[in-house]
Amino acid sequence: MRTPTSDDVSGRLDPLNGEHSGVFAPELGEFENAEQRAQQMGDKETKTGTTTVGLKTEDGVVLATDMRASLGRMVSSKNVQKVEEIHPTGALTIAGSVSAAQSLISSIRAEVRLYEARRGEDMSMQALSTLLGNFLRSGAFFIVQPILGGVDEEGPHIYSIDPAGSILEEEYTVTGSGSQYALGVLEQEYSDDLSIEEAKSVAARSIKSAVERDLASGNGINVCVVTEDGVDITQHKDFDDVL
């Protein structure tokens, strides 16, 4: 690759935005105005507010979320499924912009199917988490903060992925506006020897704690159990069904 000089076009003012572009920018998938566009939407955009949690057990992972979506200060939906299957043994929770999350899920599902068709095998959770981080790092999905839970040949995995694309593998994690309330419950009740059923109860208690105090969370609970056998998602309006 040649060394840039002062005559390079890449160093001149971009006629479209009036700014100096970097020598090697824009990169593929980069959207420089994504943050400004997200701010301009403000209260006009449907958001999930949200409390989502993910826990790892020896036999699989448990993901749980509330079911409320907001539009500014209004509850726009009381029946939102905030966890979706994106892989034969993997699922994703969503927190943030609903439209961006829906687009992200569609894109990830397509990439997973393409990977499987080309290679004849399922994508590993590490590869899937890297793909998710790359999508979010591009800036094309406004503000979305998912939790990825899945099972592969190496066992169960829980990944916390922030809106900028950083990836952290955890034993348990939380996202959304009710995070602090849910995390307090998880800190007290999580242990690495929980069964699937025990993890479901702990997850439900953490979501219920957030619903009691966070105005953007409520209206029931989505529970997702992922094992080597697949993904099972259920919705419950009454927390007692899970506790």
Side-chain angles (χ1 to χ4, degrees), residues 22-230:
V23 174
F24 306 114
E27 295 182 0
L28 183 64
E30 189 175 81
F31 291 81
E32 296 182 355
N33 298 320
E35 185 176 349
Q36 294 92 321
R37 287 188 290 130
Q39 292 174 351
Q40 289 171 1
M41 290 297 294
D43 291 345
K44 299 177 183 177
E45 182 180 11
T46 301
K47 300 177 182 178
T48 59
T50 305
T51 304
T52 76
V53 304
L55 300 81
K56 183 170 76 171
T57 74
E58 291 183 357
D59 299 320
V61 301
V62 174
L63 303 170
T65 77
D66 73 293
M67 297 171 60
R68 176 175 294 176
S70 58
L71 188 64
R73 299 180 182 179
M74 182 184 72
V75 175
S76 60
S77 177
K78 299 180 181 180
N79 192 36
V80 181
Q81 183 172 312
K82 301 181 186 179
V83 57
E84 295 279 356
E85 179 179 341
I86 60 169
H87 181 282
T89 56
L92 193 74
T93 71
I94 60 172
S97 163
V98 173
S99 64
Q102 290 173 340
S103 176
L104 177 64
I105 288 168
S106 296
S107 298
I108 288 294
R109 282 174 172 167
E111 290 291 339
V112 167
R113 288 194 295 267
L114 184 60
Y115 182 98
E116 293 169 357
R118 285 176 170 174
R119 304 201 179 195
E121 62 182 14
D122 291 336
M123 185 181 290
S124 70
M125 290 302 113
Q126 182 177 3
L128 185 54
S129 67
T130 300
L131 179 62
L132 274 164
N134 289 341
F135 269 118
L136 292 174
R137 201 171 296 118
S138 74
F141 298 97
F142 292 156
I143 300 298
V144 180
Q145 186 173 9
I147 297 173
L148 170 65
V151 179
D152 58 18
E153 293 180 353
E154 296 182 357
H157 302 272
I158 286 286
Y159 295 95
S160 175
I161 306 173
D162 75 14
S166 71
I167 305 162
L168 298 173
E169 185 166 8
E170 305 279 5
E171 298 292 315
Y172 59 91
T173 190
V174 301
T175 66
S177 54
S179 293
Q180 64 269 43
Y181 309 111
L183 189 58
V185 175
L186 292 180
E187 290 282 2
Q188 295 295 319
E189 299 193 20
Y190 178 82
S191 64
D192 56 12
D193 60 352
L194 290 174
S195 68
I196 290 288
E197 289 302 316
E198 290 170 337
K200 287 170 64 177
S201 296
V202 171
R205 283 194 288 273
S206 66
I207 296 294
K208 185 177 181 181
S209 176
V211 166
E212 295 290 338
R213 291 289 181 176
D214 178 40
L215 295 177
S217 301
N219 301 110
I221 181 172
N222 300 294
V223 179
C224 174
V225 176
V226 185
T227 65
E228 61 183 6
D229 297 323

Side-chain angles (χ1 to χ4, degrees), residues 226-241:
V226 185
T227 65
E228 61 183 6
D229 297 323
V231 179
D232 179 53
I233 301 173
T234 57
Q235 289 187 327
H236 308 272
K237 287 295 185 180
D238 189 344
F239 281 89
D240 290 338
D241 293 343

